[in-house]
Amino acid sequence: MTGEMFTQIATVLIALFGAIVTYLIIPYIKSRTSQEQQEHIKTWVDIAVQAAEQIMNTPGMGENKKIFVLNFFRSKGIDLTDDQLDMLIEAAVYQMNLGKE
């Protein structure tokens, strides 16, 4: 597989993932939380993801970054499932990467 083909596939997968998060996961979370809770969760997601990126800036540390963020959420007592947190983390990383481009 050429590098260009890999990039195109990755771009399509990221766009698909973004659509899934936007149209399925975010509305579900909004239905289960208040506006204030949503803002609180989003703020902490953004902070935790950015902190993980800053602390672990070596390539290939993705899984360690994710564990760092999940542990951070547990310490804050945010009551979401691992799947919900995973989706929020991925959405925050996606948004952060868009800002880098």
Side-chain angles (χ1 to χ4, degrees), residues 17-54:
F17 180 76
I20 290 170
V21 168
T22 300
Y23 294 106
L24 297 177
I25 303 302
I26 301 300
Y28 172 77
I29 292 172
K30 285 183 177 181
S31 72
R32 307 279 296 175
T33 58
S34 71
Q35 183 66 32
E36 183 177 334
Q37 289 170 322
Q38 292 167 32
E39 293 295 324
H40 183 75
I41 290 168
K42 181 172 179 351
T43 298
W44 283 118
V45 168
D46 292 341
I47 289 170
V49 166
Q50 291 173 9
E53 286 293 318
Q54 183 68 27

Side-chain angles (χ1 to χ4, degrees), residues 2-101:
T2 66
E4 185 178 315
M5 184 185 293
F6 177 74
T7 302
Q8 290 174 344
I9 291 171
T11 302
V12 168
L13 290 175
I14 289 171
L16 178 63
F17 180 76
I20 290 170
V21 168
T22 300
Y23 294 106
L24 297 177
I25 303 302
I26 301 300
Y28 172 77
I29 292 172
K30 285 183 177 181
S31 72
R32 307 279 296 175
T33 58
S34 71
Q35 183 66 32
E36 183 177 334
Q37 289 170 322
Q38 292 167 32
E39 293 295 324
H40 183 75
I41 290 168
K42 181 172 179 351
T43 298
W44 283 118
V45 168
D46 292 341
I47 289 170
V49 166
Q50 291 173 9
E53 286 293 318
Q54 183 68 27
I55 293 168
M56 298 174 220
N57 56 9
T58 305
M61 297 284 292
E63 190 61 32
N64 290 339
K65 291 176 188 179
K66 184 176 177 182
I67 291 168
F68 172 86
V69 174
L70 289 172
N71 288 337
F72 179 81
F73 272 96
R74 298 292 177 249
S75 75
K76 294 296 175 196
I78 296 174
D79 188 26
L80 295 172
T81 67
D82 285 347
D83 288 339
Q84 290 169 330
L85 285 173
D86 189 44
M87 291 291 182
L88 290 170
I89 291 166
E90 292 297 327
V93 170
Y94 175 73
Q95 289 296 319
M96 186 178 61
N97 287 337
L98 282 178
K100 289 181 181 178
E101 293 178 358

